[in-house]
Amino acid sequence: QVQLVESGGGLVQPGGSLRLSCAASGRLFSLNSMAWYRQAPGKERELAARISSDGWTNYADSVKGRFTISRDDAKNTMYLQMDSLKPEDTAVYYCNVRLGRFMYTDYWGQGTQVTVSS
């Protein structure tokens, strides 16, 4: 079905920036939304940002004003621009695709590591 591949993670200093990419295979039929989740060591996975099929976005309070989620439909790719990074942003970031409206199915990428450290 759907395969998702994240890229763009790495090591960055506090205050720096990274842009994550998530490439999806094929056409995303019945797309509900795409999202970036993250999981820090020893913590539960949390939603960082979501973008609906219509382009509406929402963000976790912890990343508002610093992260920007976007989507390029022609490339079947989603992005997460991360600015003003903090050590607390250190986590594995996972791409999520949700297909279906009321009854939906989630697909996940393998994750990409983001480490914010001086």
Side-chain angles (χ1 to χ4, degrees):
Q1 278 252 27
V2 177
Q3 290 184 313
L4 307 172
V5 180
E6 301 99 332
S7 62
L11 175 65
V12 65
Q13 296 184 41
S17 298
L18 284 175
R19 190 174 84 150
L20 305 183
S21 298
C22 173
S25 64
R27 184 178 296 181
L28 303 178
F29 293 101
S30 301
L31 178 65
N32 180 298
S33 64
M34 304 180 74
W36 288 98
Y37 286 75
R38 65 184 186 180
Q39 187 167 22
K43 300 180 67 176
E44 295 293 312
R45 187 174 300 185
E46 66 174 359
L47 176 68
R50 182 177 296 280
I51 182 167
S52 74
S53 60
D54 295 324
W56 298 105
T57 60
N58 64 278
Y59 299 88
D61 289 340
S62 58
V63 309
K64 284 181 180 177
R66 300 187 298 116
F67 290 11
T68 304
I69 189 170
S70 62
R71 197 178 75 242
D72 186 335
D73 293 335
K75 297 181 178 180
N76 256 10
T77 301
M78 177 180 63
Y79 305 95
L80 184 67
Q81 178 67 43
M82 304 184 295
D83 299 317
S84 301
L85 283 163
K86 305 175 180 179
E88 307 90 86
D89 296 318
T90 296
V92 177
Y93 285 71
Y94 296 92
C95 176
N96 165 265
V97 167
R98 178 165 289 175
L99 302 183
R101 174 163 280 190
F102 301 106
M103 183 177 179
Y104 60 82
T105 301
D106 282 333
Y107 298 87
W108 298 91
Q110 82 287 353
T112 185
Q113 177 71 47
V114 172
T115 302
V116 184
S117 176
S118 60

